[in-house]
Amino acid sequence: MGIFDGKKINMNMQEQIEKAKQLIQTNKIGEAINLLESLKKNTFFNNFDVFFELGKSYYILNNYKKAYDNLIVSYELKRDNIDSIILLAKSLENLKRVKEALSFFREIEDAGKEEVKIEIVRILTKTKKYKFAYRYIRKKLTKEERNKYYKDIRGLAFELEKVGKYREALRLFREIEKTDIYDIKKNIIDIFVVNNKYWLLYEYIFVNSKGQYNEQDYEYLLNIDIKNLGDKSLL
Protein backbone atom coordinates (compact mmCIF):
# COMPACT_ATOMS: atom_id res chain seq x y z
CA MET A 1 0.00 0.00 0.00
CA GLY A 2 2.79 2.38 0.97
CA ILE A 3 4.75 1.61 -2.20
CA PHE A 4 1.64 2.17 -4.33
CA ASP A 5 0.95 5.50 -2.64
CA GLY A 6 4.53 6.63 -3.27
CA LYS A 7 4.23 5.82 -6.97
CA LYS A 8 0.91 7.64 -7.14
CA ILE A 9 2.36 10.75 -5.52
CA ASN A 10 5.35 10.68 -7.88
CA MET A 11 3.13 10.30 -10.95
CA ASN A 12 0.98 13.21 -9.79
CA MET A 13 4.11 15.37 -9.31
CA GLN A 14 5.33 14.61 -12.84
CA GLU A 15 1.93 15.56 -14.22
CA GLN A 16 2.11 18.86 -12.34
CA ILE A 17 5.64 19.50 -13.59
CA GLU A 18 4.52 18.89 -17.19
CA LYS A 19 1.66 21.31 -16.62
CA ALA A 20 4.14 23.91 -15.35
CA LYS A 21 6.31 23.41 -18.46
CA GLN A 22 3.28 24.01 -20.68
CA LEU A 23 2.48 27.18 -18.75
CA ILE A 24 6.05 28.41 -19.30
CA GLN A 25 5.82 27.64 -23.03
CA THR A 26 2.62 29.69 -23.27
CA ASN A 27 4.26 32.55 -21.36
CA LYS A 28 2.08 32.10 -18.26
CA ILE A 29 5.12 32.45 -16.04
CA GLY A 30 3.30 33.63 -12.91
CA GLU A 31 1.00 30.60 -12.92
CA ALA A 32 3.95 28.28 -13.50
CA ILE A 33 5.81 29.78 -10.54
CA ASN A 34 2.81 29.39 -8.24
CA LEU A 35 2.42 25.75 -9.23
CA LEU A 36 6.14 24.97 -8.88
CA GLU A 37 6.48 26.78 -5.55
CA SER A 38 3.54 24.74 -4.27
CA LEU A 39 5.21 21.52 -5.41
CA LYS A 40 8.45 22.58 -3.74
CA LYS A 41 6.72 23.20 -0.42
CA ASN A 42 4.57 20.10 -0.40
CA THR A 43 7.11 17.41 -1.23
CA PHE A 44 9.46 15.59 1.11
CA PHE A 45 12.37 15.38 -1.34
CA ASN A 46 14.00 17.70 -3.84
CA ASN A 47 13.10 17.17 -7.47
CA PHE A 48 15.49 18.43 -10.14
CA ASP A 49 12.77 19.42 -12.61
CA VAL A 50 10.91 21.48 -10.00
CA PHE A 51 13.96 23.56 -9.12
CA PHE A 52 15.18 23.86 -12.72
CA GLU A 53 11.82 24.96 -14.14
CA LEU A 54 11.36 27.34 -11.20
CA GLY A 55 14.82 28.82 -11.72
CA LYS A 56 14.12 29.17 -15.45
CA SER A 57 10.81 30.92 -14.72
CA TYR A 58 12.42 33.46 -12.40
CA TYR A 59 15.21 34.01 -14.95
CA ILE A 60 12.62 34.84 -17.62
CA LEU A 61 11.21 37.47 -15.25
CA ASN A 62 14.75 38.87 -14.69
CA ASN A 63 14.59 37.90 -11.02
CA TYR A 64 18.16 36.63 -11.04
CA LYS A 65 18.48 36.20 -7.28
CA LYS A 66 15.55 33.77 -7.07
CA ALA A 67 16.68 32.16 -10.31
CA TYR A 68 20.09 31.52 -8.75
CA ASP A 69 18.58 30.22 -5.46
CA ASN A 70 16.70 27.52 -7.35
CA LEU A 71 19.25 26.75 -10.05
CA ILE A 72 22.04 26.15 -7.54
CA VAL A 73 19.84 23.43 -6.01
CA SER A 74 19.13 21.91 -9.43
CA TYR A 75 22.90 21.93 -10.04
CA GLU A 76 23.55 20.06 -6.80
CA LEU A 77 20.88 17.51 -7.74
CA LYS A 78 22.17 16.94 -11.28
CA ARG A 79 25.64 18.30 -11.98
CA ASP A 80 25.77 17.08 -15.57
CA ASN A 81 22.74 18.98 -16.87
CA ILE A 82 24.14 21.52 -19.34
CA ASP A 83 21.01 23.69 -19.63
CA SER A 84 20.81 24.06 -15.85
CA ILE A 85 24.47 25.10 -15.61
CA ILE A 86 24.12 27.64 -18.44
CA LEU A 87 21.18 29.34 -16.73
CA LEU A 88 22.97 29.21 -13.38
CA ALA A 89 26.05 30.88 -14.88
CA LYS A 90 23.95 33.51 -16.65
CA SER A 91 22.11 34.28 -13.41
CA LEU A 92 25.43 34.79 -11.64
CA GLU A 93 26.66 37.02 -14.46
CA ASN A 94 23.55 39.19 -14.14
CA LEU A 95 24.14 39.35 -10.38
CA LYS A 96 27.64 40.76 -11.14
CA ARG A 97 29.26 37.61 -9.78
CA VAL A 98 31.29 37.20 -12.95
CA LYS A 99 34.12 35.10 -11.55
CA GLU A 100 31.66 32.45 -10.36
CA ALA A 101 29.78 32.66 -13.66
CA LEU A 102 33.02 32.15 -15.59
CA SER A 103 33.85 29.14 -13.42
CA PHE A 104 30.56 27.42 -14.30
CA PHE A 105 30.91 28.24 -18.00
CA ARG A 106 34.45 26.82 -17.96
CA GLU A 107 33.05 23.64 -16.42
CA ILE A 108 31.01 22.95 -19.57
CA GLU A 109 33.05 24.71 -22.28
CA ASP A 110 33.74 21.43 -24.08
CA ALA A 111 30.13 20.25 -24.02
CA GLY A 112 29.53 21.34 -27.60
CA LYS A 113 27.38 24.40 -26.89
CA GLU A 114 28.44 27.42 -28.97
CA GLU A 115 26.81 29.89 -26.62
CA VAL A 116 29.01 28.71 -23.74
CA LYS A 117 32.19 29.61 -25.60
CA ILE A 118 30.97 33.06 -26.59
CA GLU A 119 29.73 33.74 -23.04
CA ILE A 120 33.27 33.07 -21.86
CA VAL A 121 34.58 35.56 -24.45
CA ARG A 122 32.00 38.14 -23.31
CA ILE A 123 32.93 37.79 -19.65
CA LEU A 124 36.67 38.00 -20.39
CA THR A 125 36.05 41.12 -22.49
CA LYS A 126 33.73 42.65 -19.89
CA THR A 127 36.34 42.14 -17.16
CA LYS A 128 39.05 43.63 -19.41
CA LYS A 129 40.92 40.36 -19.78
CA TYR A 130 41.45 41.21 -23.41
CA LYS A 131 44.56 39.10 -23.94
CA PHE A 132 42.84 36.01 -22.54
CA ALA A 133 39.71 36.70 -24.60
CA TYR A 134 41.80 36.99 -27.75
CA ARG A 135 43.68 33.76 -27.05
CA TYR A 136 40.42 31.98 -26.25
CA ILE A 137 38.89 33.04 -29.57
CA ARG A 138 41.94 31.89 -31.51
CA LYS A 139 42.17 28.52 -29.74
CA LYS A 140 38.58 27.56 -28.94
CA LEU A 141 36.29 29.05 -31.57
CA THR A 142 36.06 27.56 -35.02
CA LYS A 143 36.04 29.81 -38.09
CA GLU A 144 32.29 29.23 -38.43
CA GLU A 145 31.71 30.21 -34.78
CA ARG A 146 33.83 33.35 -35.16
CA ASN A 147 31.80 34.38 -38.20
CA LYS A 148 28.53 33.70 -36.38
CA TYR A 149 29.46 35.80 -33.36
CA TYR A 150 31.12 38.62 -35.31
CA LYS A 151 29.52 41.30 -33.10
CA ASP A 152 31.34 40.02 -30.03
CA ILE A 153 34.59 39.59 -31.98
CA ARG A 154 34.24 43.16 -33.27
CA GLY A 155 33.67 44.45 -29.73
CA LEU A 156 36.85 42.74 -28.51
CA ALA A 157 38.82 44.11 -31.49
CA PHE A 158 37.76 47.66 -30.56
CA GLU A 159 38.88 47.12 -26.96
CA LEU A 160 42.22 45.67 -28.05
CA GLU A 161 42.80 48.68 -30.30
CA LYS A 162 42.01 51.06 -27.40
CA VAL A 163 44.65 49.47 -25.15
CA GLY A 164 47.30 49.38 -27.87
CA LYS A 165 47.14 45.67 -28.71
CA TYR A 166 47.30 46.51 -32.40
CA ARG A 167 48.54 43.18 -33.74
CA GLU A 168 45.70 41.28 -32.08
CA ALA A 169 43.11 43.92 -33.01
CA LEU A 170 44.25 43.89 -36.63
CA ARG A 171 43.92 40.11 -36.90
CA LEU A 172 40.36 40.22 -35.60
CA PHE A 173 39.41 43.18 -37.80
CA ARG A 174 40.78 41.37 -40.88
CA GLU A 175 38.68 38.30 -39.99
CA ILE A 176 35.54 40.41 -39.58
CA GLU A 177 36.30 42.17 -42.86
CA LYS A 178 35.98 38.86 -44.72
CA THR A 179 32.36 38.50 -43.62
CA ASP A 180 31.37 41.68 -45.51
CA ILE A 181 28.99 42.49 -42.65
CA TYR A 182 30.78 45.53 -41.27
CA ASP A 183 32.83 48.21 -42.98
CA ILE A 184 35.81 48.33 -40.64
CA LYS A 185 38.33 49.57 -43.20
CA LYS A 186 38.87 52.78 -41.20
CA ASN A 187 39.89 50.79 -38.11
CA ILE A 188 42.43 48.81 -40.12
CA ILE A 189 43.82 51.96 -41.73
CA ASP A 190 44.08 53.69 -38.34
CA ILE A 191 46.15 50.80 -36.97
CA PHE A 192 48.58 51.03 -39.90
CA VAL A 193 48.91 54.80 -39.41
CA VAL A 194 49.45 54.61 -35.64
CA ASN A 195 52.20 52.05 -36.16
CA ASN A 196 53.81 53.93 -39.11
CA LYS A 197 53.22 50.97 -41.40
CA TYR A 198 52.70 53.13 -44.48
CA TRP A 199 53.79 50.49 -46.95
CA LEU A 200 51.13 48.15 -45.59
CA LEU A 201 48.66 51.02 -45.65
CA TYR A 202 49.47 51.79 -49.29
CA GLU A 203 49.11 48.14 -50.27
CA TYR A 204 45.90 47.77 -48.27
CA ILE A 205 44.22 50.78 -49.89
CA PHE A 206 45.44 49.78 -53.35
CA VAL A 207 44.24 46.16 -53.05
CA ASN A 208 40.88 47.02 -51.46
CA SER A 209 40.04 49.93 -53.70
CA LYS A 210 40.93 48.12 -56.95
CA GLY A 211 41.82 51.48 -58.45
CA GLN A 212 38.50 53.07 -57.45
CA TYR A 213 39.64 55.40 -54.67
CA ASN A 214 37.13 57.26 -52.57
CA GLU A 215 37.73 60.65 -50.96
CA GLN A 216 39.14 59.16 -47.76
CA ASP A 217 41.52 56.89 -49.71
CA TYR A 218 42.84 59.90 -51.64
CA GLU A 219 43.40 61.77 -48.39
CA TYR A 220 45.55 58.95 -47.01
CA LEU A 221 47.42 58.39 -50.27
CA LEU A 222 48.28 62.07 -50.68
CA ASN A 223 49.93 62.04 -47.27
CA ILE A 224 52.10 59.04 -48.04
CA ASP A 225 55.59 59.65 -49.35
CA ILE A 226 55.86 56.85 -51.91
CA LYS A 227 59.68 57.06 -51.89
CA ASN A 228 59.86 56.64 -48.14
CA LEU A 229 57.21 54.12 -47.20
CA GLY A 230 59.19 52.61 -44.35
CA ASP A 231 59.66 48.91 -43.73
CA LYS A 232 57.36 46.23 -45.05
CA SER A 233 57.30 44.24 -41.83
CA LEU A 234 54.01 43.20 -40.35
CA LEU A 235 52.76 44.49 -37.03
Side-chain angles (χ1 to χ4, degrees):
M1 182 70 175
I3 295 174
F4 175 79
D5 288 344
K7 286 183 178 179
K8 188 175 181 180
I9 291 170
N10 190 51
M11 286 177 63
N12 181 59
M13 174 179 277
Q14 287 304 125
E15 288 174 2
Q16 295 298 304
I17 291 171
E18 290 304 315
K19 182 179 178 181
K21 289 180 179 179
Q22 290 174 8
L23 288 169
I24 294 169
Q25 288 175 356
T26 55
N27 206 33
K28 296 177 180 178
I29 310 301
E31 292 179 48
I33 286 175
N34 290 336
L35 177 55
L36 292 164
E37 287 286 9
S38 176
L39 287 173
K40 189 168 76 170
K41 288 177 183 176
N42 296 316
T43 54
F44 298 104
F45 58 92
N46 291 335
N47 180 286
F48 167 82
D49 288 319
V50 170
F51 283 92
F52 173 63
E53 297 298 333
L54 196 50
K56 181 165 70 175
S57 298
Y58 280 121
Y59 186 88
I60 292 170
L61 296 179
N62 300 327
N63 190 333
Y64 303 118
K65 176 63 171 67
K66 286 192 174 181
Y68 166 78
D69 289 341
N70 286 281
L71 290 166
I72 193 64
V73 178
S74 70
Y75 171 73
E76 294 296 340
L77 292 169
K78 193 178 288 188
R79 288 175 174 259
D80 60 349
N81 187 279
I82 306 300
D83 293 330
S84 173
I85 296 172
I86 289 174
L87 269 187
L88 174 59
K90 285 184 175 180
S91 298
L92 285 164
E93 187 177 357
N94 280 289
L95 291 168
K96 312 299 182 187
R97 295 164 63 178
V98 290
K99 286 185 178 180
E100 294 169 82
L102 183 59
S103 177
F104 279 110
F105 279 130
R106 288 280 198 185
E107 192 174 312
I108 55 172
E109 66 180 328
D110 295 320
K113 290 269 190 177
E114 287 181 0
E115 64 178 304
V116 172
K117 295 179 185 178
I118 206 61
E119 285 294 342
I120 291 173
V121 172
R122 286 170 185 163
I123 290 177
L124 290 172
T125 304
K126 189 185 296 184
T127 55
K128 300 184 178 181
K129 306 288 186 184
Y130 304 129
K131 183 168 66 174
F132 294 104
Y134 173 78
R135 288 178 180 172
Y136 191 86
I137 286 172
R138 302 291 296 182
K139 290 182 179 179
K140 293 287 187 177
L141 270 66
T142 64
K143 183 179 179 181
E144 290 73 21
E145 288 169 338
R146 292 200 293 270
N147 288 340
K148 183 176 180 180
Y149 294 101
Y150 60 86
K151 288 183 181 178
D152 296 281
I153 309 300
R154 178 172 174 255
L156 175 59
F158 282 138
E159 297 301 330
L160 285 166
E161 185 181 3
K162 285 179 188 176
V163 298
K165 298 289 184 182
Y166 298 115
R167 184 196 300 270
E168 294 85 349
L170 182 61
R171 283 185 178 178
L172 295 183
F173 280 134
R174 294 306 294 265
E175 281 194 26
I176 299 165
E177 188 180 35
K178 293 173 186 175
T179 66
D180 291 324
I181 297 168
Y182 281 112
D183 180 11
I184 45 83
K185 184 167 70 171
K186 184 181 183 303
N187 297 96
I188 294 173
I189 288 173
D190 287 344
I191 290 175
F192 287 144
V193 171
V194 167
N195 289 274
N196 297 317
K197 299 296 182 181
Y198 295 109
W199 184 276
L200 294 176
L201 171 58
Y202 178 73
E203 286 187 335
Y204 178 75
I205 292 176
F206 183 79
V207 170
N208 279 271
S209 65
K210 298 177 181 177
Q212 301 296 316
Y213 305 124
N214 60 33
E215 187 177 335
Q216 185 187 53
D217 292 336
Y218 269 122
E219 184 181 341
Y220 279 111
L221 288 171
L222 286 171
N223 286 296
I224 295 176
D225 181 356
I226 303 297
K227 296 178 182 178
N228 187 25
L229 291 173
D231 66 82
K232 299 182 182 180
S233 62
L234 298 175
L235 288 172

